[in-house]
Amino acid sequence: GSEDPYGIRRDALGVIHVILHKGFRLSLGELIDKALELLKDKLEREPDQVKADVLGFLRQRLYHLWVSEGFRQDLTEAVLSAAFDDLVGARKRLEALTEFSQDPSFEALMTTFKRVVNILPKGFSRAEVDPALMEREEEKALYQALLDLEGQVRGLMEKEDYLGALKTIATLKEKVDAFFDRVLVMAKDENVKNNRLALLKRISNLFMGLADLSKVVVGK
């Protein structure tokens, strides 16, 4: 028989289409919380578990919808992995990343910034950098460049100029490459090592507001 006897996939797509076509700026999580509150007497599992399942189901529908519309699978996954609570905002980020991917330097940029993401230990969250622990000119130069553009990137993202934000972050490429070429991230001194990882975490955080670059396939 049917794998979807209750038509849940169709209903989920209906919700997604209404939100996107009407341009509603709302929180998917808050909508689910409201529904769970209304249905609390009928729940047979913990609300958090149900919410996670519903979000996962909607995420899957969203992924298949956007891929069917012609968006790259890896770019769609990268955007959804960052956030999709605001569907309209997520769509705008996907469109910006797709346009950015047409740049001839995109693959080189992704190779550089994926190094930033991939070297960070799982669960590493520190983003406070101590300039006094910096030993190499390349890390000092990268840190200063980061300070110079963090506010600019935040401002562009607040205005939803996601393409502008991506292009601004991309200007760090040369200094990131120099950092990796001449600085040993995993230094023997634990404080120095963690400080260098914190610097890379700050750069990763800039991108994570837009997309999870670890999901981007280079050479596609």
Side-chain angles (χ1 to χ4, degrees):
S2 171
E3 293 181 2
D4 187 21
Y6 300 107
I8 298 174
R9 292 177 186 168
R10 183 183 63 235
D11 290 342
L13 277 173
V15 171
I16 289 169
H17 280 303
V18 168
I19 292 173
L20 290 174
H21 290 174
K22 293 292 186 179
F24 291 143
R25 306 313 295 267
L26 45 78
S27 165
L28 206 56
E30 289 180 5
L31 279 182
I32 295 171
D33 287 338
K34 180 63 176 178
L36 289 171
E37 175 63 25
L38 294 172
L39 296 170
K40 61 183 178 181
D41 294 336
K42 297 182 179 181
L43 294 181
E44 297 179 356
R45 291 188 298 146
E46 289 298 317
D48 287 348
Q49 295 176 349
V50 178
K51 181 177 181 179
D53 285 349
V54 173
L55 282 172
F57 189 79
L58 289 169
R59 184 191 195 281
Q60 195 174 35
R61 304 278 69 75
L62 199 57
Y63 172 84
H64 289 299
L65 172 64
W66 285 344
V67 169
S68 72
E69 292 178 353
F71 290 102
R72 276 174 45 173
Q73 294 180 7
D74 61 325
L75 301 188
T76 302
E77 183 62 34
V79 166
L80 291 176
S81 294
F84 65 98
D85 189 59
D86 172 8
L87 296 187
V88 176
R91 174 67 181 227
K92 290 182 177 182
R93 287 187 285 112
L94 178 57
E95 291 171 350
L97 186 59
T98 298
E99 184 174 347
F100 190 56
S101 72
Q102 306 305 311
D103 191 298
S105 63
F106 179 72
E107 287 193 7
L109 286 166
M110 288 303 100
T111 298
T112 291
F113 288 108
K114 284 184 75 168
R115 290 181 73 185
V116 172
V117 176
N118 292 337
I119 200 171
L120 292 169
K122 188 174 182 179
F124 187 88
S125 59
R126 173 181 162 182
E128 293 182 12
V129 180
D130 183 356
L133 290 171
M134 294 182 177
E135 302 173 343
R136 303 286 306 220
E137 288 304 315
E138 291 79 12
E139 59 186 322
K140 294 176 184 177
L142 177 57
Y143 180 54
Q144 186 57 55
L146 177 63
L147 291 177
D148 290 342
L149 63 77
E150 276 182 323
Q152 185 180 351
V153 171
R154 282 195 294 269
L156 289 166
M157 289 181 63
E158 286 173 4
K159 293 188 294 184
E160 297 192 331
D161 181 0
Y162 298 124
L163 182 59
L166 285 165
K167 289 180 176 179
T168 301
I169 299 170
T171 62
L172 285 173
K173 180 185 184 303
E174 184 178 336
K175 288 183 171 58
V176 172
D177 285 337
F179 175 87
F180 278 118
D181 287 344
R182 300 184 181 92
V183 177
L184 177 64
V185 178
M186 299 303 184
K188 291 183 179 180
D189 186 309
E190 193 74 10
N191 290 327
V192 172
K193 179 188 76 172
N194 287 332
N195 199 56
R196 289 171 178 171
L197 288 171
L199 174 57
L200 296 177
K201 181 64 176 177
R202 283 271 283 274
I203 296 171
S204 172
N205 286 348
L206 284 180
F207 263 116
M208 279 304 295
L210 297 158
D212 180 354
L213 297 189
S214 69
K215 308 296 184 183
V216 177
V217 178
V218 176
K220 196 173 180 68

